[in-house]
Amino acid sequence: SQSPDTKFFALNVLENVISTRWRVLPDEQKSGIKNYVVQLVIKISADEHFAVTQKHFLTKLNETLVYIVKQEWPHAWESFIPDICGSSKANQSLCENNLRILNLLSEEVFSFGKTHMTSKKVAKLKDSLNAQFSTIYELCNFVFKSHIAQPGSVKQSLLTTTLSTLANFLEWIPLGYVFETDLIQVLLCHFWDPLEYRIEC
């Protein structure tokens, strides 16, 4: 259906199934749902026109994907973070949306986890995020270094999203990424003075 209301209703139903019945679904159905949602996210977010015109639907789709990730990752979808970070380098619009998904996942685990998941599950997801943060950091660094090497080549909205995502990660990332890398120097030298980035920086 092309109706926005119908699409939202379908995603609400799907989210309910993922939240309440995911464990009893056959593996084949889980895989089918996961692949369908992933491919739809990629299709819409990789096309800048679709990403803008279907922004609200894409946001809802991202939330649905995070619901699946919370059920499947890391035990049944260990490659989720390498997959999402690896695909981000192909397309700026896709990269921007993927960073939003990672941000959503971080918020779900660190901000809202206690109200939606068991403490054991939250602890496992936190450990997994910490263990795989190097891949996320490399993606953020790739965006920053691309902008530094060729000013104007990276969309302002992607830089803003990268900065705000990294800011939200600061409460839990290993401190070595703050003090033992050139992150602070990069932020101060390239993103502090321009007014369009200062709030996020």
Side-chain angles (χ1 to χ4, degrees):
S1 172
Q2 294 303 309
S3 164
D5 289 342
T6 305
K7 289 178 178 179
F8 268 86
F9 178 74
L11 285 181
N12 277 329
V13 171
L14 185 56
E15 280 185 6
N16 185 260
V17 169
I18 295 164
S19 297
T20 60
R21 301 178 57 81
W22 189 258
R23 290 185 180 183
V24 299
L25 289 177
D27 287 344
E28 191 176 312
Q29 284 188 19
K30 290 181 186 175
S31 180
I33 291 169
K34 182 175 85 175
N35 290 336
Y36 173 75
V37 172
V38 167
Q39 291 308 314
L40 197 52
V41 167
I42 290 171
K43 180 183 175 183
I44 295 174
S45 64
D47 185 310
E48 197 166 348
H49 173 72
F50 279 150
V52 172
T53 58
Q54 300 191 39
K55 181 180 178 182
H56 298 299
F57 179 63
L58 181 57
T59 299
K60 187 68 175 171
L61 205 53
N62 289 344
E63 290 171 6
T64 306
L65 179 57
V66 169
Y67 268 82
I68 295 172
V69 172
K70 287 192 297 181
Q71 296 285 354
E72 292 283 276
W73 179 74
H75 65 284
W77 196 358
E78 197 174 345
S79 65
F80 167 69
I81 285 182
D83 287 349
I84 197 170
C85 291
S87 70
S88 297
K89 295 180 181 178
N91 176 301
Q92 289 192 33
S93 183
L94 179 63
C95 182
E96 191 173 332
N97 191 63
N98 285 351
L99 284 164
R100 288 197 192 104
I101 292 169
L102 290 169
N103 198 17
L104 262 179
L105 178 61
S106 173
E107 286 178 351
E108 281 290 316
V109 173
F110 288 91
S111 302
F112 311 120
K114 290 177 183 175
T115 56
H116 300 298
M117 295 177 279
T118 64
S119 55
K120 187 177 178 182
K121 175 73 171 175
V122 171
K124 189 172 184 180
L125 292 178
K126 284 182 177 180
D127 287 345
S128 298
L129 269 173
N130 269 296
Q132 297 190 3
F133 180 71
S134 62
T135 311
I136 300 171
Y137 175 78
E138 283 168 16
L139 174 60
C140 294
N141 199 41
F142 171 78
V143 173
F144 293 150
K145 293 296 169 70
S146 298
H147 166 71
I148 293 165
Q150 206 172 347
S153 64
V154 179
K155 291 192 307 173
Q156 183 179 327
S157 59
L158 173 54
L159 288 167
T160 303
T161 301
T162 307
L163 287 165
S164 60
T165 301
L166 202 55
N168 288 336
F169 286 172
L170 280 176
E171 64 180 86
W172 60 264
I173 65 173
L175 288 176
Y177 287 98
V178 178
F179 299 111
E180 295 170 18
T181 67
D182 63 351
L183 176 61
I184 291 176
Q185 184 180 351
V186 166
L187 294 177
L188 288 176
C189 292
H190 300 280
F191 297 99
W192 183 253
D193 282 337
L195 290 176
E196 62 267 32
Y197 303 125
R198 188 174 293 177
I199 292 174
E200 283 76 17
C201 192

